[in-house]
Amino acid sequence: ITQSGGLMICKDFLENQVETATAEQQLEAMKLMGCLVTQESTAAYIDSSGGVEAIFDLIDQELVKEEPDLKIIQSGLTMLANAAGTAAVAQSIAGKGDMRRLLQGFENHKSLTEDAEIMKSLSSFLESVIKHAPESVEIMATNNVATLMMESMSIHSNDHILSKQGAKILKSVI
């Protein structure tokens, strides 16, 4: 897919066709990107060509809606978590304002903490960024990640995966 130009077609689609694309088309494009960015060189290429910012923008568009599409948010977060597994991408994310906007969107949409799968995806993203870009901890601390994680862990106290992820994040930001 990458060699045949599919990666750039997917990225361009997410950047330019968002207004006319259906939710299903956006979701499939994000899933594809999420798979492709697991390779370090692909993740760095996508980040340098604006693909990571395009995913943040798509998530932002959902977060301003009264009833956001949870599948799109989760898929976008999964793609971001995969991309942030590359140190250069995680550092790039930490150096831009996109992560702040994402966290503020979650702060404004408290109902997202009620969805365990969304919170696991967010936690995976935050863990990847913390691991590869320690400077991101300050951003998380100033954007109430500790409160967000404690609320989510309280709601989903029986979810051992989320509890473990939340504990790791709390340990880093507190």
Side-chain angles (χ1 to χ4, degrees), residues 18-19 21-24 26 57-70 72-73 105 108-112:
V18 174
E19 316 258 319
T22 66
E24 292 81 22
Q26 289 177 14
D57 291 343
L58 285 170
I59 294 171
D60 287 345
Q61 286 179 352
E62 289 303 315
L63 291 175
V64 297
K65 294 179 181 176
E66 191 172 314
E67 292 186 35
D69 187 325
L70 300 181
I72 289 178
I73 294 171
N108 295 335
H109 245 294
K110 291 287 188 180
S111 63
L112 293 173

mmCIF file with all atom_site columns, all heavy atoms in Angstrom, residues 18-19 21-24 26 57-70 72-73 105 108-112:
data_model
loop_
_atom_site.group_PDB
_atom_site.id
_atom_site.type_symbol
_atom_site.label_atom_id
_atom_site.label_alt_id
_atom_site.label_comp_id
_atom_site.label_asym_id
_atom_site.label_entity_id
_atom_site.label_seq_id
_atom_site.pdbx_PDB_ins_code
_atom_site.Cartn_x
_atom_site.Cartn_y
_atom_site.Cartn_z
_atom_site.occupancy
_atom_site.B_iso_or_equiv
_atom_site.pdbx_formal_charge
_atom_site.auth_seq_id
_atom_site.auth_comp_id
_atom_site.auth_asym_id
_atom_site.auth_atom_id
_atom_site.pdbx_PDB_model_num
ATOM 1   N N   . VAL A 1 18  ? -12.705 15.558 4.007  1.00 0.00 ? 18  VAL A N   1
ATOM 2   C CA  . VAL A 1 18  ? -13.438 15.384 5.252  1.00 0.00 ? 18  VAL A CA  1
ATOM 3   C C   . VAL A 1 18  ? -14.863 15.936 5.159  1.00 0.00 ? 18  VAL A C   1
ATOM 4   O O   . VAL A 1 18  ? -15.806 15.329 5.642  1.00 0.00 ? 18  VAL A O   1
ATOM 5   C CB  . VAL A 1 18  ? -12.679 16.045 6.422  1.00 0.00 ? 18  VAL A CB  1
ATOM 6   C CG1 . VAL A 1 18  ? -13.485 16.001 7.697  1.00 0.00 ? 18  VAL A CG1 1
ATOM 7   C CG2 . VAL A 1 18  ? -11.351 15.361 6.609  1.00 0.00 ? 18  VAL A CG2 1
ATOM 8   N N   . GLU A 1 19  ? -15.003 17.054 4.516  1.00 0.00 ? 19  GLU A N   1
ATOM 9   C CA  . GLU A 1 19  ? -16.316 17.704 4.442  1.00 0.00 ? 19  GLU A CA  1
ATOM 10  C C   . GLU A 1 19  ? -17.331 16.866 3.662  1.00 0.00 ? 19  GLU A C   1
ATOM 11  O O   . GLU A 1 19  ? -18.508 16.872 3.965  1.00 0.00 ? 19  GLU A O   1
ATOM 12  C CB  . GLU A 1 19  ? -16.166 19.076 3.773  1.00 0.00 ? 19  GLU A CB  1
ATOM 13  C CG  . GLU A 1 19  ? -14.976 19.860 4.286  1.00 0.00 ? 19  GLU A CG  1
ATOM 14  C CD  . GLU A 1 19  ? -15.369 20.926 5.260  1.00 0.00 ? 19  GLU A CD  1
ATOM 15  O OE1 . GLU A 1 19  ? -16.376 21.582 5.020  1.00 0.00 ? 19  GLU A OE1 1
ATOM 16  O OE2 . GLU A 1 19  ? -14.650 21.094 6.252  1.00 0.00 ? 19  GLU A OE2 1
ATOM 17  N N   . ALA A 1 21  ? -16.828 13.433 2.860  1.00 0.00 ? 21  ALA A N   1
ATOM 18  C CA  . ALA A 1 21  ? -16.741 12.002 3.167  1.00 0.00 ? 21  ALA A CA  1
ATOM 19  C C   . ALA A 1 21  ? -17.783 11.607 4.204  1.00 0.00 ? 21  ALA A C   1
ATOM 20  O O   . ALA A 1 21  ? -18.122 12.385 5.098  1.00 0.00 ? 21  ALA A O   1
ATOM 21  C CB  . ALA A 1 21  ? -15.348 11.665 3.691  1.00 0.00 ? 21  ALA A CB  1
ATOM 22  N N   . THR A 1 22  ? -18.254 10.390 4.082  1.00 0.00 ? 22  THR A N   1
ATOM 23  C CA  . THR A 1 22  ? -19.169 9.863  5.095  1.00 0.00 ? 22  THR A CA  1
ATOM 24  C C   . THR A 1 22  ? -18.361 9.464  6.325  1.00 0.00 ? 22  THR A C   1
ATOM 25  O O   . THR A 1 22  ? -17.133 9.294  6.249  1.00 0.00 ? 22  THR A O   1
ATOM 26  C CB  . THR A 1 22  ? -19.923 8.623  4.576  1.00 0.00 ? 22  THR A CB  1
ATOM 27  O OG1 . THR A 1 22  ? -18.980 7.559  4.380  1.00 0.00 ? 22  THR A OG1 1
ATOM 28  C CG2 . THR A 1 22  ? -20.671 8.923  3.286  1.00 0.00 ? 22  THR A CG2 1
ATOM 29  N N   . ALA A 1 23  ? -19.037 9.280  7.423  1.00 0.00 ? 23  ALA A N   1
ATOM 30  C CA  . ALA A 1 23  ? -18.370 8.840  8.651  1.00 0.00 ? 23  ALA A CA  1
ATOM 31  C C   . ALA A 1 23  ? -17.681 7.492  8.425  1.00 0.00 ? 23  ALA A C   1
ATOM 32  O O   . ALA A 1 23  ? -16.576 7.264  8.936  1.00 0.00 ? 23  ALA A O   1
ATOM 33  C CB  . ALA A 1 23  ? -19.372 8.753  9.793  1.00 0.00 ? 23  ALA A CB  1
ATOM 34  N N   . GLU A 1 24  ? -18.313 6.615  7.662  1.00 0.00 ? 24  GLU A N   1
ATOM 35  C CA  . GLU A 1 24  ? -17.727 5.301  7.381  1.00 0.00 ? 24  GLU A CA  1
ATOM 36  C C   . GLU A 1 24  ? -16.443 5.425  6.573  1.00 0.00 ? 24  GLU A C   1
ATOM 37  O O   . GLU A 1 24  ? -15.465 4.717  6.833  1.00 0.00 ? 24  GLU A O   1
ATOM 38  C CB  . GLU A 1 24  ? -18.733 4.401  6.641  1.00 0.00 ? 24  GLU A CB  1
ATOM 39  C CG  . GLU A 1 24  ? -19.930 3.992  7.465  1.00 0.00 ? 24  GLU A CG  1
ATOM 40  C CD  . GLU A 1 24  ? -21.015 5.076  7.530  1.00 0.00 ? 24  GLU A CD  1
ATOM 41  O OE1 . GLU A 1 24  ? -21.075 5.961  6.647  1.00 0.00 ? 24  GLU A OE1 1
ATOM 42  O OE2 . GLU A 1 24  ? -21.804 5.036  8.494  1.00 0.00 ? 24  GLU A OE2 1
ATOM 43  N N   . GLN A 1 26  ? -14.414 8.054  6.520  1.00 0.00 ? 26  GLN A N   1
ATOM 44  C CA  . GLN A 1 26  ? -13.408 8.614  7.423  1.00 0.00 ? 26  GLN A CA  1
ATOM 45  C C   . GLN A 1 26  ? -12.858 7.530  8.343  1.00 0.00 ? 26  GLN A C   1
ATOM 46  O O   . GLN A 1 26  ? -11.646 7.431  8.546  1.00 0.00 ? 26  GLN A O   1
ATOM 47  C CB  . GLN A 1 26  ? -14.011 9.737  8.267  1.00 0.00 ? 26  GLN A CB  1
ATOM 48  C CG  . GLN A 1 26  ? -14.324 10.983 7.512  1.00 0.00 ? 26  GLN A CG  1
ATOM 49  C CD  . GLN A 1 26  ? -14.979 12.034 8.392  1.00 0.00 ? 26  GLN A CD  1
ATOM 50  O OE1 . GLN A 1 26  ? -14.973 11.922 9.614  1.00 0.00 ? 26  GLN A OE1 1
ATOM 51  N NE2 . GLN A 1 26  ? -15.544 13.047 7.777  1.00 0.00 ? 26  GLN A NE2 1
ATOM 52  N N   . ASP A 1 57  ? -7.200  16.999 13.714 1.00 0.00 ? 57  ASP A N   1
ATOM 53  C CA  . ASP A 1 57  ? -8.287  17.851 13.227 1.00 0.00 ? 57  ASP A CA  1
ATOM 54  C C   . ASP A 1 57  ? -9.602  17.081 13.136 1.00 0.00 ? 57  ASP A C   1
ATOM 55  O O   . ASP A 1 57  ? -10.659 17.603 13.496 1.00 0.00 ? 57  ASP A O   1
ATOM 56  C CB  . ASP A 1 57  ? -7.940  18.465 11.874 1.00 0.00 ? 57  ASP A CB  1
ATOM 57  C CG  . ASP A 1 57  ? -6.817  19.493 11.953 1.00 0.00 ? 57  ASP A CG  1
ATOM 58  O OD1 . ASP A 1 57  ? -6.520  19.975 13.067 1.00 0.00 ? 57  ASP A OD1 1
ATOM 59  O OD2 . ASP A 1 57  ? -6.237  19.809 10.888 1.00 0.00 ? 57  ASP A OD2 1
ATOM 60  N N   . LEU A 1 58  ? -9.543  15.844 12.655 1.00 0.00 ? 58  LEU A N   1
ATOM 61  C CA  . LEU A 1 58  ? -10.760 15.026 12.569 1.00 0.00 ? 58  LEU A CA  1
ATOM 62  C C   . LEU A 1 58  ? -11.350 14.754 13.952 1.00 0.00 ? 58  LEU A C   1
ATOM 63  O O   . LEU A 1 58  ? -12.566 14.824 14.147 1.00 0.00 ? 58  LEU A O   1
ATOM 64  C CB  . LEU A 1 58  ? -10.469 13.703 11.859 1.00 0.00 ? 58  LEU A CB  1
ATOM 65  C CG  . LEU A 1 58  ? -10.300 13.784 10.351 1.00 0.00 ? 58  LEU A CG  1
ATOM 66  C CD1 . LEU A 1 58  ? -9.768  12.475 9.795  1.00 0.00 ? 58  LEU A CD1 1
ATOM 67  C CD2 . LEU A 1 58  ? -11.618 14.133 9.693  1.00 0.00 ? 58  LEU A CD2 1
ATOM 68  N N   . ILE A 1 59  ? -10.479 14.451 14.896 1.00 0.00 ? 59  ILE A N   1
ATOM 69  C CA  . ILE A 1 59  ? -10.960 14.223 16.265 1.00 0.00 ? 59  ILE A CA  1
ATOM 70  C C   . ILE A 1 59  ? -11.563 15.516 16.821 1.00 0.00 ? 59  ILE A C   1
ATOM 71  O O   . ILE A 1 59  ? -12.625 15.491 17.435 1.00 0.00 ? 59  ILE A O   1
ATOM 72  C CB  . ILE A 1 59  ? -9.831  13.696 17.173 1.00 0.00 ? 59  ILE A CB  1
ATOM 73  C CG1 . ILE A 1 59  ? -9.388  12.304 16.713 1.00 0.00 ? 59  ILE A CG1 1
ATOM 74  C CG2 . ILE A 1 59  ? -10.292 13.653 18.632 1.00 0.00 ? 59  ILE A CG2 1
ATOM 75  C CD1 . ILE A 1 59  ? -8.141  11.786 17.402 1.00 0.00 ? 59  ILE A CD1 1
ATOM 76  N N   . ASP A 1 60  ? -10.878 16.641 16.581 1.00 0.00 ? 60  ASP A N   1
ATOM 77  C CA  . ASP A 1 60  ? -11.394 17.937 17.034 1.00 0.00 ? 60  ASP A CA  1
ATOM 78  C C   . ASP A 1 60  ? -12.784 18.208 16.472 1.00 0.00 ? 60  ASP A C   1
ATOM 79  O O   . ASP A 1 60  ? -13.662 18.706 17.181 1.00 0.00 ? 60  ASP A O   1
ATOM 80  C CB  . ASP A 1 60  ? -10.463 19.082 16.621 1.00 0.00 ? 60  ASP A CB  1
ATOM 81  C CG  . ASP A 1 60  ? -9.178  19.127 17.419 1.00 0.00 ? 60  ASP A CG  1
ATOM 82  O OD1 . ASP A 1 60  ? -9.093  18.473 18.474 1.00 0.00 ? 60  ASP A OD1 1
ATOM 83  O OD2 . ASP A 1 60  ? -8.238  19.821 16.968 1.00 0.00 ? 60  ASP A OD2 1
ATOM 84  N N   . GLN A 1 61  ? -12.982 17.877 15.195 1.00 0.00 ? 61  GLN A N   1
ATOM 85  C CA  . GLN A 1 61  ? -14.297 18.090 14.571 1.00 0.00 ? 61  GLN A CA  1
ATOM 86  C C   . GLN A 1 61  ? -15.371 17.273 15.273 1.00 0.00 ? 61  GLN A C   1
ATOM 87  O O   . GLN A 1 61  ? -16.501 17.733 15.417 1.00 0.00 ? 61  GLN A O   1
ATOM 88  C CB  . GLN A 1 61  ? -14.251 17.713 13.086 1.00 0.00 ? 61  GLN A CB  1
ATOM 89  C CG  . GLN A 1 61  ? -13.523 18.703 12.231 1.00 0.00 ? 61  GLN A CG  1
ATOM 90  C CD  . GLN A 1 61  ? -13.494 18.271 10.768 1.00 0.00 ? 61  GLN A CD  1
ATOM 91  O OE1 . GLN A 1 61  ? -13.895 17.179 10.409 1.00 0.00 ? 61  GLN A OE1 1
ATOM 92  N NE2 . GLN A 1 61  ? -13.000 19.155 9.924  1.00 0.00 ? 61  GLN A NE2 1
ATOM 93  N N   . GLU A 1 62  ? -15.031 16.095 15.695 1.00 0.00 ? 62  GLU A N   1
ATOM 94  C CA  . GLU A 1 62  ? -16.005 15.262 16.409 1.00 0.00 ? 62  GLU A CA  1
ATOM 95  C C   . GLU A 1 62  ? -16.261 15.808 17.810 1.00 0.00 ? 62  GLU A C   1
ATOM 96  O O   . GLU A 1 62  ? -17.394 15.795 18.292 1.00 0.00 ? 62  GLU A O   1
ATOM 97  C CB  . GLU A 1 62  ? -15.534 13.802 16.487 1.00 0.00 ? 62  GLU A CB  1
ATOM 98  C CG  . GLU A 1 62  ? -15.576 13.071 15.179 1.00 0.00 ? 62  GLU A CG  1
ATOM 99  C CD  . GLU A 1 62  ? -16.942 13.049 14.530 1.00 0.00 ? 62  GLU A CD  1
ATOM 100 O OE1 . GLU A 1 62  ? -17.949 12.798 15.229 1.00 0.00 ? 62  GLU A OE1 1
ATOM 101 O OE2 . GLU A 1 62  ? -17.022 13.285 13.310 1.00 0.00 ? 62  GLU A OE2 1
ATOM 102 N N   . LEU A 1 63  ? -15.218 16.290 18.458 1.00 0.00 ? 63  LEU A N   1
ATOM 103 C CA  . LEU A 1 63  ? -15.348 16.758 19.842 1.00 0.00 ? 63  LEU A CA  1
ATOM 104 C C   . LEU A 1 63  ? -16.182 18.028 19.980 1.00 0.00 ? 63  LEU A C   1
ATOM 105 O O   . LEU A 1 63  ? -16.666 18.327 21.065 1.00 0.00 ? 63  LEU A O   1
ATOM 106 C CB  . LEU A 1 63  ? -13.971 16.949 20.477 1.00 0.00 ? 63  LEU A CB  1
ATOM 107 C CG  . LEU A 1 63  ? -13.192 15.657 20.743 1.00 0.00 ? 63  LEU A CG  1
ATOM 108 C CD1 . LEU A 1 63  ? -11.792 15.967 21.260 1.00 0.00 ? 63  LEU A CD1 1
ATOM 109 C CD2 . LEU A 1 63  ? -13.929 14.746 21.707 1.00 0.00 ? 63  LEU A CD2 1
ATOM 110 N N   . VAL A 1 64  ? -16.350 18.767 18.894 1.00 0.00 ? 64  VAL A N   1
ATOM 111 C CA  . VAL A 1 64  ? -17.185 19.964 18.976 1.00 0.00 ? 64  VAL A CA  1
ATOM 112 C C   . VAL A 1 64  ? -18.657 19.650 18.720 1.00 0.00 ? 64  VAL A C   1
ATOM 113 O O   . VAL A 1 64  ? -19.512 20.509 18.942 1.00 0.00 ? 64  VAL A O   1
ATOM 114 C CB  . VAL A 1 64  ? -16.709 21.094 18.028 1.00 0.00 ? 64  VAL A CB  1
ATOM 115 C CG1 . VAL A 1 64  ? -15.323 21.561 18.409 1.00 0.00 ? 64  VAL A CG1 1
ATOM 116 C CG2 . VAL A 1 64  ? -16.781 20.682 16.581 1.00 0.00 ? 64  VAL A CG2 1
ATOM 117 N N   . LYS A 1 65  ? -18.929 18.457 18.276 1.00 0.00 ? 65  LYS A N   1
ATOM 118 C CA  . LYS A 1 65  ? -20.316 18.063 18.030 1.00 0.00 ? 65  LYS A CA  1
ATOM 119 C C   . LYS A 1 65  ? -21.007 17.728 19.340 1.00 0.00 ? 65  LYS A C   1
ATOM 120 O O   . LYS A 1 65  ? -20.371 17.279 20.291 1.00 0.00 ? 65  LYS A O   1
ATOM 121 C CB  . LYS A 1 65  ? -20.373 16.829 17.119 1.00 0.00 ? 65  LYS A CB  1
ATOM 122 C CG  . LYS A 1 65  ? -19.867 17.069 15.721 1.00 0.00 ? 65  LYS A CG  1
ATOM 123 C CD  . LYS A 1 65  ? -19.937 15.788 14.905 1.00 0.00 ? 65  LYS A CD  1
ATOM 124 C CE  . LYS A 1 65  ? -19.414 16.001 13.492 1.00 0.00 ? 65  LYS A CE  1
ATOM 125 N NZ  . LYS A 1 65  ? -19.411 14.720 12.738 1.00 0.00 ? 65  LYS A NZ  1
ATOM 126 N N   . GLU A 1 66  ? -22.324 17.944 19.347 1.00 0.00 ? 66  GLU A N   1
ATOM 127 C CA  . GLU A 1 66  ? -23.102 17.595 20.531 1.00 0.00 ? 66  GLU A CA  1
ATOM 128 C C   . GLU A 1 66  ? -23.058 16.086 20.789 1.00 0.00 ? 66  GLU A C   1
ATOM 129 O O   . GLU A 1 66  ? -22.949 15.647 21.930 1.00 0.00 ? 66  GLU A O   1
ATOM 130 C CB  . GLU A 1 66  ? -24.548 18.056 20.358 1.00 0.00 ? 66  GLU A CB  1
ATOM 131 C CG  . GLU A 1 66  ? -25.350 17.982 21.637 1.00 0.00 ? 66  GLU A CG  1
ATOM 132 C CD  . GLU A 1 66  ? -26.707 18.627 21.469 1.00 0.00 ? 66  GLU A CD  1
ATOM 133 O OE1 . GLU A 1 66  ? -26.769 19.737 20.905 1.00 0.00 ? 66  GLU A OE1 1
ATOM 134 O OE2 . GLU A 1 66  ? -27.688 18.017 21.914 1.00 0.00 ? 66  GLU A OE2 1
ATOM 135 N N   . GLU A 1 67  ? -23.137 15.313 19.711 1.00 0.00 ? 67  GLU A N   1
ATOM 136 C CA  . GLU A 1 67  ? -23.052 13.852 19.819 1.00 0.00 ? 67  GLU A CA  1
ATOM 137 C C   . GLU A 1 67  ? -21.956 13.359 18.882 1.00 0.00 ? 67  GLU A C   1
ATOM 138 O O   . GLU A 1 67  ? -22.217 13.006 17.732 1.00 0.00 ? 67  GLU A O   1
ATOM 139 C CB  . GLU A 1 67  ? -24.393 13.205 19.472 1.00 0.00 ? 67  GLU A CB  1
ATOM 140 C CG  . GLU A 1 67  ? -25.462 13.496 20.500 1.00 0.00 ? 67  GLU A CG  1
ATOM 141 C CD  . GLU A 1 67  ? -26.742 12.722 20.222 1.00 0.00 ? 67  GLU A CD  1
ATOM 142 O OE1 . GLU A 1 67  ? -26.653 11.577 19.741 1.00 0.00 ? 67  GLU A OE1 1
ATOM 143 O OE2 . GLU A 1 67  ? -27.809 13.271 20.490 1.00 0.00 ? 67  GLU A OE2 1
ATOM 144 N N   . PRO A 1 68  ? -20.718 13.316 19.385 1.00 0.00 ? 68  PRO A N   1
ATOM 145 C CA  . PRO A 1 68  ? -19.600 12.905 18.531 1.00 0.00 ? 68  PRO A CA  1
ATOM 146 C C   . PRO A 1 68  ? -19.684 11.422 18.167 1.00 0.00 ? 68  PRO A C   1
ATOM 147 O O   . PRO A 1 68  ? -20.259 10.615 18.894 1.00 0.00 ? 68  PRO A O   1
ATOM 148 C CB  . PRO A 1 68  ? -18.373 13.190 19.393 1.00 0.00 ? 68  PRO A CB  1
ATOM 149 C CG  . PRO A 1 68  ? -18.866 13.186 20.790 1.00 0.00 ? 68  PRO A CG  1
ATOM 150 C CD  . PRO A 1 68  ? -20.291 13.641 20.738 1.00 0.00 ? 68  PRO A CD  1
ATOM 151 N N   . ASP A 1 69  ? -19.095 11.078 17.033 1.00 0.00 ? 69  ASP A N   1
ATOM 152 C CA  . ASP A 1 69  ? -19.012 9.687  16.587 1.00 0.00 ? 69  ASP A CA  1
ATOM 153 C C   . ASP A 1 69  ? -17.856 9.031  17.347 1.00 0.00 ? 69  ASP A C   1
ATOM 154 O O   . ASP A 1 69  ? -16.684 9.296  17.076 1.00 0.00 ? 69  ASP A O   1
ATOM 155 C CB  . ASP A 1 69  ? -18.777 9.637  15.073 1.00 0.00 ? 69  ASP A CB  1
ATOM 156 C CG  . ASP A 1 69  ? -18.841 8.228  14.514 1.00 0.00 ? 69  ASP A CG  1
ATOM 157 O OD1 . ASP A 1 69  ? -18.413 7.277  15.204 1.00 0.00 ? 69  ASP A OD1 1
ATOM 158 O OD2 . ASP A 1 69  ? -19.315 8.087  13.377 1.00 0.00 ? 69  ASP A OD2 1
ATOM 159 N N   . LEU A 1 70  ? -18.202 8.163  18.286 1.00 0.00 ? 70  LEU A N   1
ATOM 160 C CA  . LEU A 1 70  ? -17.199 7.552  19.150 1.00 0.00 ? 70  LEU A CA  1
ATOM 161 C C   . LEU A 1 70  ? -16.238 6.646  18.381 1.00 0.00 ? 70  LEU A C   1
ATOM 162 O O   . LEU A 1 70  ? -15.069 6.531  18.738 1.00 0.00 ? 70  LEU A O   1
ATOM 163 C CB  . LEU A 1 70  ? -17.874 6.774  20.275 1.00 0.00 ? 70  LEU A CB  1
ATOM 164 C CG  . LEU A 1 70  ? -18.771 7.610  21.204 1.00 0.00 ? 70  LEU A CG  1
ATOM 165 C CD1 . LEU A 1 70  ? -19.369 6.737  22.299 1.00 0.00 ? 70  LEU A CD1 1
ATOM 166 C CD2 . LEU A 1 70  ? -18.015 8.783  21.794 1.00 0.00 ? 70  LEU A CD2 1
ATOM 167 N N   . ILE A 1 72  ? -15.096 7.129  15.348 1.00 0.00 ? 72  ILE A N   1
ATOM 168 C CA  . ILE A 1 72  ? -14.096 7.981  14.699 1.00 0.00 ? 72  ILE A CA  1
ATOM 169 C C   . ILE A 1 72  ? -13.072 8.459  15.725 1.00 0.00 ? 72  ILE A C   1
ATOM 170 O O   . ILE A 1 72  ? -11.867 8.436  15.469 1.00 0.00 ? 72  ILE A O   1
ATOM 171 C CB  . ILE A 1 72  ? -14.761 9.164  13.966 1.00 0.00 ? 72  ILE A CB  1
ATOM 172 C CG1 . ILE A 1 72  ? -15.505 8.642  12.730 1.00 0.00 ? 72  ILE A CG1 1
ATOM 173 C CG2 . ILE A 1 72  ? -13.741 10.230 13.572 1.00 0.00 ? 72  ILE A CG2 1
ATOM 174 C CD1 . ILE A 1 72  ? -16.248 9.676  11.938 1.00 0.00 ? 72  ILE A CD1 1
ATOM 175 N N   . ILE A 1 73  ? -13.539 8.860  16.889 1.00 0.00 ? 73  ILE A N   1
ATOM 176 C CA  . ILE A 1 73  ? -12.611 9.310  17.937 1.00 0.00 ? 73  ILE A CA  1
ATOM 177 C C   . ILE A 1 73  ? -11.690 8.169  18.338 1.00 0.00 ? 73  ILE A C   1
ATOM 178 O O   . ILE A 1 73  ? -10.472 8.340  18.413 1.00 0.00 ? 73  ILE A O   1
ATOM 179 C CB  . ILE A 1 73  ? -13.380 9.860  19.156 1.00 0.00 ? 73  ILE A CB  1
ATOM 180 C CG1 . ILE A 1 73  ? -14.123 11.142 18.773 1.00 0.00 ? 73  ILE A CG1 1
ATOM 181 C CG2 . ILE A 1 73  ? -12.425 10.111 20.328 1.00 0.00 ? 73  ILE A CG2 1
ATOM 182 C CD1 . ILE A 1 73  ? -15.071 11.651 19.834 1.00 0.00 ? 73  ILE A CD1 1
ATOM 183 N N   . GLY A 1 105 ? -10.611 19.165 24.560 1.00 0.00 ? 105 GLY A N   1
ATOM 184 C CA  . GLY A 1 105 ? -11.835 18.585 24.006 1.00 0.00 ? 105 GLY A CA  1
ATOM 185 C C   . GLY A 1 105 ? -12.407 17.512 24.920 1.00 0.00 ? 105 GLY A C   1
ATOM 186 O O   . GLY A 1 105 ? -13.618 17.443 25.132 1.00 0.00 ? 105 GLY A O   1
ATOM 187 N N   . ASN A 1 108 ? -13.960 19.189 27.895 1.00 0.00 ? 108 ASN A N   1
ATOM 188 C CA  . ASN A 1 108 ? -15.259 19.777 27.578 1.00 0.00 ? 108 ASN A CA  1
ATOM 189 C C   . ASN A 1 108 ? -16.344 18.735 27.327 1.00 0.00 ? 108 ASN A C   1
ATOM 190 O O   . ASN A 1 108 ? -17.530 19.055 27.359 1.00 0.00 ? 108 ASN A O   1
ATOM 191 C CB  . ASN A 1 108 ? -15.143 20.686 26.344 1.00 0.00 ? 108 ASN A CB  1
ATOM 192 C CG  . ASN A 1 108 ? -14.260 21.883 26.596 1.00 0.00 ? 108 ASN A CG  1
ATOM 193 O OD1 . ASN A 1 108 ? -14.088 22.315 27.727 1.00 0.00 ? 108 ASN A OD1 1
ATOM 194 N ND2 . ASN A 1 108 ? -13.663 22.398 25.541 1.00 0.00 ? 108 ASN A ND2 1
ATOM 195 N N   . HIS A 1 109 ? -15.944 17.500 27.049 1.00 0.00 ? 109 HIS A N   1
ATOM 196 C CA  . HIS A 1 109 ? -16.880 16.408 26.751 1.00 0.00 ? 109 HIS A CA  1
ATOM 197 C C   . HIS A 1 109 ? -16.721 15.322 27.811 1.00 0.00 ? 109 HIS A C   1
ATOM 198 O O   . HIS A 1 109 ? -16.285 14.203 27.514 1.00 0.00 ? 109 HIS A O   1
ATOM 199 C CB  . HIS A 1 109 ? -16.583 15.826 25.378 1.00 0.00 ? 109 HIS A CB  1
ATOM 200 C CG  . HIS A 1 109 ? -17.672 16.016 24.379 1.00 0.00 ? 109 HIS A CG  1
ATOM 201 N ND1 . HIS A 1 109 ? -18.896 15.420 24.487 1.00 0.00 ? 109 HIS A ND1 1
ATOM 202 C CD2 . HIS A 1 109 ? -17.698 16.738 23.237 1.00 0.00 ? 109 HIS A CD2 1
ATOM 203 C CE1 . HIS A 1 109 ? -19.636 15.768 23.454 1.00 0.00 ? 109 HIS A CE1 1
ATOM 204 N NE2 . HIS A 1 109 ? -18.934 16.589 22.691 1.00 0.00 ? 109 HIS A NE2 1
ATOM 205 N N   . LYS A 1 110 ? -17.065 15.623 29.038 1.00 0.00 ? 110 LYS A N   1
ATOM 206 C CA  . LYS A 1 110 ? -16.885 14.692 30.157 1.00 0.00 ? 110 LYS A CA  1
ATOM 207 C C   . LYS A 1 110 ? -17.536 13.339 29.909 1.00 0.00 ? 110 LYS A C   1
ATOM 208 O O   . LYS A 1 110 ? -17.117 12.331 30.457 1.00 0.00 ? 110 LYS A O   1
ATOM 209 C CB  . LYS A 1 110 ? -17.436 15.296 31.455 1.00 0.00 ? 110 LYS A CB  1
ATOM 210 C CG  . LYS A 1 110 ? -16.654 16.467 31.977 1.00 0.00 ? 110 LYS A CG  1
ATOM 211 C CD  . LYS A 1 110 ? -15.356 16.008 32.555 1.00 0.00 ? 110 LYS A CD  1
ATOM 212 C CE  . LYS A 1 110 ? -14.677 17.171 33.246 1.00 0.00 ? 110 LYS A CE  1
ATOM 213 N NZ  . LYS A 1 110 ? -13.424 16.805 33.814 1.00 0.00 ? 110 LYS A NZ  1
ATOM 214 N N   . SER A 1 111 ? -18.567 13.292 29.073 1.00 0.00 ? 111 SER A N   1
ATOM 215 C CA  . SER A 1 111 ? -19.259 12.031 28.818 1.00 0.00 ? 111 SER A CA  1
ATOM 216 C C   . SER A 1 111 ? -18.341 10.991 28.173 1.00 0.00 ? 111 SER A C   1
ATOM 217 O O   . SER A 1 111 ? -18.616 9.794  28.244 1.00 0.00 ? 111 SER A O   1
ATOM 218 C CB  . SER A 1 111 ? -20.487 12.262 27.940 1.00 0.00 ? 111 SER A CB  1
ATOM 219 O OG  . SER A 1 111 ? -20.102 12.760 26.675 1.00 0.00 ? 111 SER A OG  1
ATOM 220 N N   . LEU A 1 112 ? -17.245 11.423 27.560 1.00 0.00 ? 112 LEU A N   1
ATOM 221 C CA  . LEU A 1 112 ? -16.323 10.473 26.940 1.00 0.00 ? 112 LEU A CA  1
ATOM 222 C C   . LEU A 1 112 ? -15.667 9.566  27.968 1.00 0.00 ? 112 LEU A C   1
ATOM 223 O O   . LEU A 1 112 ? -15.293 8.438  27.646 1.00 0.00 ? 112 LEU A O   1
ATOM 224 C CB  . LEU A 1 112 ? -15.258 11.215 26.135 1.00 0.00 ? 112 LEU A CB  1
ATOM 225 C CG  . LEU A 1 112 ? -15.758 11.947 24.893 1.00 0.00 ? 112 LEU A CG  1
ATOM 226 C CD1 . LEU A 1 112 ? -14.644 12.770 24.274 1.00 0.00 ? 112 LEU A CD1 1
ATOM 227 C CD2 . LEU A 1 112 ? -16.324 10.974 23.877 1.00 0.00 ? 112 LEU A CD2 1
#
